[in-house]
Amino acid sequence: MKRKVFLCVLASAFLLFCSGCRNSMYEADQETMKLAGTVAEPTVSEPSPEPVPSRKGYTREERNDLTQNYKLMWQEADKKITSYDMSEDSNGVKRYSNSNVLRKLEIGQDTYGTKDLSYEREYYFDEDGILYFARLTQGEKEMRFYFHEHQLLRWIDDKNNAYDDPDAHSDFEVYEIKLLSETDRLVEEFEAEQVILNSYVVG
């Protein structure tokens, strides 16, 4: 009788041992499968966001000097305007150039591209065709914008208030984007036309 009890206990222990081995093997297999899955499916890293170009800072004195210099430049350009070549595109935009370099644009209030700018606009460009000054008028109202290195340097509103950075007025960047976008497009159109005209001359 004691022998039978002993054999039963021994059999039960053996079964428990085997069961434990199977569970351990199953868990080991599951862990192996997880690892295999991790290796089989490489993680795709998120693309890093493009760095936002920082706005170049200028001291008050630097802005004053640049603004004064550009003021003299556009005043001098107005004196020479009759000596420049003048053409008008199909949208009524008047373009003044010197040696095939765009020096000034005149855009009427009802001219193409004025949906968001209900002003007459005058854009002035330096000897390299780079925008440095814009004047917007609407009746007796006038706003002036000074640019340096494709960045709005100073905005003088129709009440003669001066703003030097986006924190000074909520519309600072709005005007910067609109004016640069319009001039960039019109300059590209002008330059493309010059390439075509020059190709005819050469040909």
Side-chain angles (χ1 to χ4, degrees):
M1 183 68 178
K2 289 181 180 179
R3 187 177 178 184
K4 288 182 179 180
V5 172
F6 174 76
L7 290 174
C8 287
V9 171
L10 186 60
S12 298
F14 180 77
L15 289 172
L16 286 171
F17 174 78
C18 291
S19 176
C21 288
R22 282 197 300 270
N23 288 338
S24 297
M25 291 173 63
Y26 174 78
E27 290 171 2
D29 288 341
Q30 289 293 98
E31 188 65 24
T32 303
M33 290 171 66
K34 286 181 182 177
L35 290 173
T38 303
V39 174
E41 297 178 7
T43 55
V44 179
S45 59
E46 291 290 329
S48 57
E50 294 184 8
V52 178
S54 59
R55 177 176 291 276
K56 187 173 181 180
Y58 298 95
T59 65
R60 183 78 175 178
E61 290 73 20
E62 288 173 329
R63 290 178 187 274
N64 289 340
D65 290 343
L66 287 167
T67 300
Q68 183 60 30
N69 183 47
Y70 289 147
K71 182 179 180 179
L72 295 174
M73 284 174 61
W74 68 257
Q75 289 176 339
E76 188 65 23
D78 275 349
K79 294 177 183 177
K80 296 179 179 178
I81 199 68
T82 55
S83 66
Y84 293 155
D85 296 323
M86 197 278 281
S87 63
E88 190 170 341
D89 69 12
S90 58
N91 296 305
V93 178
K94 291 182 180 179
R95 306 174 299 185
Y96 296 87
S97 60
N98 185 29
S99 301
N100 296 328
V101 176
L102 188 64
R103 300 304 302 274
K104 184 180 179 182
L105 289 172
E106 290 182 0
I107 306 173
Q109 188 170 334
D110 299 322
T111 306
Y112 167 76
T114 62
K115 289 181 180 179
D116 298 325
L117 290 169
S118 55
Y119 294 86
E120 294 182 359
R121 276 105 62 216
E122 294 175 278
Y123 295 113
Y124 292 75
F125 304 85
D126 64 17
E127 294 179 352
D128 296 318
I130 307 299
L131 177 71
Y132 67 88
F133 177 68
R135 178 168 50 215
L136 275 63
T137 56
Q138 187 183 65
E140 296 182 357
K141 294 181 179 180
E142 179 180 279
M143 294 194 295
R144 297 179 180 184
F145 301 83
Y146 292 90
F147 292 86
H148 184 67
E149 296 183 349
H150 212 256
Q151 174 180 310
L152 182 56
L153 186 73
R154 175 168 291 167
W155 162 34
I156 301 174
D157 70 7
D158 55 5
K159 296 179 179 62
N160 211 35
N161 298 312
Y163 305 101
D164 290 350
D165 59 72
D167 295 331
H169 197 287
S170 58
D171 285 338
F172 188 94
E173 284 187 311
V174 174
Y175 278 115
E176 179 180 47
I177 292 169
K178 287 181 179 179
L179 299 181
L180 287 174
S181 176
E182 181 171 58
T183 52
D184 285 348
R185 184 183 73 249
L186 293 173
V187 167
E188 286 180 5
E189 291 175 3
F190 174 81
E191 291 178 346
E193 184 177 293
Q194 296 308 304
V195 170
I196 294 172
L197 291 173
N198 291 333
S199 68
Y200 280 120
V201 172
V202 173

